[in-house]
Amino acid sequence: MKAARSSVVSKKGTPWGTIIAVVAIVVLAASVVTYYMVASAPKREQKTREEAAAAFAPSQQDPDPSKRIPGVVTATYSAGAHVRATERVAYDKTPPYGGPHDDSWASCSGVVYPNAIRTEKLVHGLEHGAVWIAYNPEQVSGTALDLLKVRVEGKPYTVMSPYPGLDKPISLQSWGHQLKLDNADDTRIDQFIAALRSNPNGVYPEIGASCDSSIAPEDEPPFDPTPPGPDAKPMDYKGTAGTAQDQLGSQSQVPPSPSAPASK
């Protein structure tokens, strides 16, 4: 009997197929978890940064919290002066953060432009309450560039683009406000965004205006690196006749359609 039982056990053998299958499942599950943790890390880290910057959210008692951010500079600009797509503006700041601009705007609904685009279109987005992150493509790349992108991608009223020749690695703009920085991990980036993006307390002209555009990001006109010529419009320009005009203070505004120029 002992011999028979021993023979049966020896014939049954080790279930290597089952063991291999279980090990494969465990390895696959571990790989999925690891991939998720690595892939989601930038977003989780950004959420932490945004939570830390929440103290800079605007309120009626603190309408412009950016005044508490070291390095922010401000200027006052009149709104609503539009130029044609063929005209340029002799801006007083680089990058500009207010003044005359195109009568249509570049999409500022969480778009990261891979290439530099026409400045006059980005300034119009600032008039709508957007924050524009500009960066020097010769100084910002790799991990630093990814740190900036995660603050913009999919975030309403936020836009990002390279700005050739920028005198600092990074420059943040909202209407009438600017902050220039050296590092993409600077906490002031998130404070600036929290304080000024879609701030409803009168820090930008067109409350409620859309940041959507009918023009695809890849179809936006390119950045012009040459200095504006003698025919460029001055900062006190009142607008070109025939361009669509803003209705400042409007709460009900419609994104542009392909058949009509933008008017907000």
Side-chain angles (χ1 to χ4, degrees):
M1 292 295 290
K2 286 184 177 180
R5 284 197 295 270
S6 177
S7 176
V8 171
V9 171
S10 63
K11 289 181 179 179
K12 187 174 181 181
T14 304
W16 291 112
T18 301
I19 293 173
I20 292 171
V22 170
V23 170
I25 292 172
V26 171
V27 170
L28 178 61
S31 300
V32 170
V33 171
T34 301
Y35 175 81
Y36 170 79
M37 294 302 292
V38 171
S40 65
K43 290 185 178 181
R44 288 186 284 109
E45 292 167 359
Q46 178 55 26
K47 183 179 179 181
T48 299
R49 286 190 290 267
E50 291 174 358
E51 289 172 349
F56 287 83
S59 65
Q60 290 185 344
Q61 293 73 33
D62 189 14
D64 186 358
S66 72
K67 294 178 180 179
R68 297 189 276 114
I69 303 174
V72 171
V73 296
T74 61
T76 300
Y77 295 106
S78 299
H82 288 169
V83 302
R84 297 185 186 279
T86 54
E87 297 174 320
R88 295 187 67 188
V89 177
Y91 285 114
D92 60 342
K93 302 292 191 302
T94 304
Y97 50 96
H101 48 267
D102 271 17
D103 62 354
S104 65
W105 61 91
S107 175
C108 42
S109 297
V111 176
V112 173
Y113 289 94
N115 302 309
I117 67 170
R118 179 167 158 83
T119 300
E120 286 82 354
K121 298 199 71 174
L122 287 162
V123 173
H124 197 154
L126 304 184
E127 194 181 44
H128 289 199
V131 167
W132 168 29
I133 298 181
Y135 67 95
N136 188 325
E138 295 185 356
Q139 296 178 299
V140 178
S141 61
T143 301
L145 187 60
D146 290 339
L147 268 174
L148 296 180
K149 286 180 179 179
V150 77
R151 287 162 162 125
V152 175
E153 290 176 331
K155 305 292 180 68
Y157 291 92
T158 321
V159 62
M160 174 176 158
S161 69
Y163 196 91
L166 184 61
D167 61 346
K168 282 280 192 176
I170 302 163
S171 184
L172 279 69
Q173 289 70 226
S174 73
W175 186 267
H177 300 74
Q178 187 174 69
L179 175 63
K180 293 188 175 183
L181 302 167
D182 293 315
N183 300 305
D185 58 358
D186 197 310
T187 57
R188 289 176 291 173
I189 296 175
D190 305 284
Q191 294 169 0
F192 187 96
I193 295 171
L196 295 167
R197 181 176 58 190
S198 299
N199 182 325
N201 297 303
V203 298
Y204 67 96
E206 294 186 56
I207 306 296
S210 173
C211 244
D212 295 333
S213 171
S214 61
I215 300 175
E218 61 270 19
D219 294 331
E220 288 290 352
F223 173 80
D224 188 343
T226 62
D231 59 343
K233 307 308 178 186
M235 290 300 292
D236 60 356
Y237 189 61
K238 303 304 180 184
T240 301
T243 57
Q245 297 302 307
D246 294 326
Q247 297 176 357
L248 302 183
S250 172
Q251 295 292 325
S252 178
Q253 301 175 18
V254 181
S257 65
S259 59
S263 61
K264 300 291 181 290

